[in-house]
C-alpha cells in the first residue's frame, strides 16, 4: 500500500509543480495509434495514465470516445480545464484496474508500463487485455534500452533502475516485449523516437 501512496504523491506533486510538463502536442505514438485505430473503426478508447489529456485529444478529434484513468487529481483538473468535462476519467492507480466493466475497441497506454515492477506490469497487460473487445487493439509505448538513461542511477533488479528519485524505470528490448506480451496477441513492435527511444507495442485480441 505504501508504494501506491508514494506513487500517487509523486505524480500529484509533479503535476502541481510542473503543470503541463509535456506541453500540448500529442506524442508521435499517439498520432500513429489514432490513425491506425480510425482505419480499424475503433469507436471507444481507454487510456490508462491519461495525465492532463494531451494524448487523448488526438483520439477525440477523430471522433472516438475516450475514457481515462489517472492517479493525480491535479492532472484530472487540468484535463477538464483544457479538454472539457465530456471525457470520463477515473481517479486511481492503474494497478487497481478495472474501474468499470466496459469493453473497449482500443486501449492506448503511453510511457506508463516501464514505471511499474514486474508483477504490476503483468497485471496491467492482463487487465487491459481483459477490457478489450474481441478484435480490439491495445498499443503500449515503453522505453528502450537504447535510452541514455539505461544503466544510470540506482540498480534495482535486471534492467530496472531508479533513474532519479521516485522514478524507477524498466528498460525494454524485443526479448522482454516478447516475453511479456506474446500471450496477448502481440503482432508488431515498432521503434519510435519520442523524447527518447521508445517501442510502440501492438497487440490484437482474437476470438480464440
Amino acid at each position: 500500500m505504501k508504494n501506491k501512496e508514494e506513487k500517487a504523491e509523486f505524480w500529484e506533486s509533479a503535476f502541481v509543480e510542473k503543470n503541463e510538463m509535456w506541453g500540448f502536442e500529442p506524442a508521435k505514438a499517439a498520432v500513429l495509434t489514432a490513425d491506425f485505430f480510425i482505419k480499424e473503426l475503433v469507436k471507444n478508447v481507454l487510456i490508462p495514465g491519461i495525465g492532463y489529456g494531451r494524448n487523448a485529444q488526438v483520439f477525440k478529434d477523430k471522433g472516438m470516445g475516450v475514457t481515462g484513468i489517472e492517479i493525480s487529481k491535479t492532472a484530472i483538473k487540468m484535463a477538464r480545464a483544457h479538454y472539457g468535462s465530456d471525457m470520463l476519467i477515473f481517479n486511481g492507480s492503474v494497478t487497481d484496474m478495472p474501474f468499470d466493466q466496459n469493453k473497449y475497441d482500443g486501449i492506448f497506454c503511453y510511457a506508463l508500463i516501464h514505471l511499474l515492477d514486474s508483477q504490476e506490469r503483468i497485471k496491467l497487460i492482463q487487465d487491459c487485455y481483459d477490457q478489450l473487445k474481441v478484435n480490439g487493439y491495445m498499443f503500449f509505448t515503453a522505453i528502450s534500452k537504447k535510452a541514455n538513461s539505461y544503466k544510470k542511477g540506482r540498480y534495482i533488479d535486471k534492467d530496472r533502475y531508479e533513474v532519479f528519485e521516485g522514478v524507477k524505470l524498466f528498460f525494454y528490448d524485443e526479448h522482454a516485449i516478447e516475453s511479456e506480451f506474446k500471450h496477448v496477441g502481440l503482432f508488431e513492435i515498432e521503434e519510435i523516437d519520442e523524447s527518447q527511444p521508445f517501442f510502440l507495442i501492438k497487440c490484437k485480441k482474437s476470438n480464440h
Side-chain angles (χ1 to χ4, degrees):
M1 188 62 201
K2 183 165 179 282
N3 184 28
K4 202 176 287 178
E5 281 164 6
E6 279 172 4
K7 271 190 187 151
E9 275 168 30
F10 175 85
W11 286 108
E12 186 57 26
S13 59
F15 283 115
V16 166
E17 194 184 317
K18 298 174 186 154
N19 301 135
E20 294 84 357
M21 51 188 142
W22 298 293
F24 291 103
E25 277 295 303
K28 266 189 246 172
V31 175
L32 290 172
T33 302
D35 287 345
F36 181 92
F37 280 8
I38 212 77
K39 280 194 202 110
E40 296 299 323
L41 306 178
V42 166
K43 299 276 188 294
N44 59 346
V45 182
L46 177 65
I47 303 183
I50 195 167
Y52 54 83
R54 76 174 175 123
N55 288 326
Q57 191 58 31
V58 71
F59 296 95
K60 283 188 73 184
D61 287 348
K62 290 181 184 291
M64 289 174 253
V66 174
T67 300
I69 300 167
E70 175 52 48
I71 201 167
S72 162
K73 286 183 177 154
T74 297
I76 293 173
K77 274 190 204 136
M78 291 196 287
R80 298 245 156 86
H82 296 307
Y83 304 111
S85 55
D86 59 337
M87 220 174 354
L88 175 62
I89 304 176
F90 294 103
N91 176 222
S93 168
V94 296
T95 56
D96 292 331
M97 282 176 73
F99 286 88
D100 63 22
Q101 296 311 310
N102 292 347
K103 300 274 186 192
Y104 293 87
D105 303 317
I107 293 176
F108 178 62
C109 189
Y110 183 79
L112 185 149
I113 192 145
H114 50 242
L115 297 166
L116 305 176
D117 67 29
S118 59
Q119 290 312 109
E120 291 169 336
R121 293 196 305 274
I122 289 161
K123 182 179 184 298
L124 176 63
I125 292 165
Q126 191 58 51
D127 287 342
C128 286
Y129 191 71
D130 290 345
Q131 282 204 262
L132 265 192
K133 286 181 186 164
V134 171
N135 295 321
Y137 292 91
M138 59 181 196
F139 283 20
F140 288 74
T141 67
I143 195 166
S144 156
K145 282 185 181 177
K146 292 180 181 170
N148 292 332
S149 44
Y150 179 49
K151 293 194 170 173
K152 300 280 179 9
R154 181 174 70 85
Y155 174 83
I156 299 164
D157 51 36
K158 186 179 184 312
D159 294 330
R160 195 160 180 250
Y161 295 83
E162 185 164 21
V163 179
F164 49 94
E165 197 180 342
V167 178
K168 298 170 180 150
L169 297 181
F170 176 77
F171 293 85
Y172 277 87
D173 56 18
E174 296 207 359
H175 175 72
I177 293 169
E178 291 279 350
S179 131
E180 290 188 6
F181 288 89
K182 65 174 182 243
H183 65 293
V184 289
L186 176 67
F187 68 90
E188 191 180 359
I189 302 167
E190 183 180 347
E191 292 192 55
I192 186 166
D193 250 344
E194 297 284 6
S195 51
Q196 41 203 346
F198 272 26
F199 288 108
L200 183 56
I201 302 160
K202 307 174 187 183
C203 304
K204 180 179 185 180
K205 186 173 194 169
S206 58
N207 55 4
H208 52 73

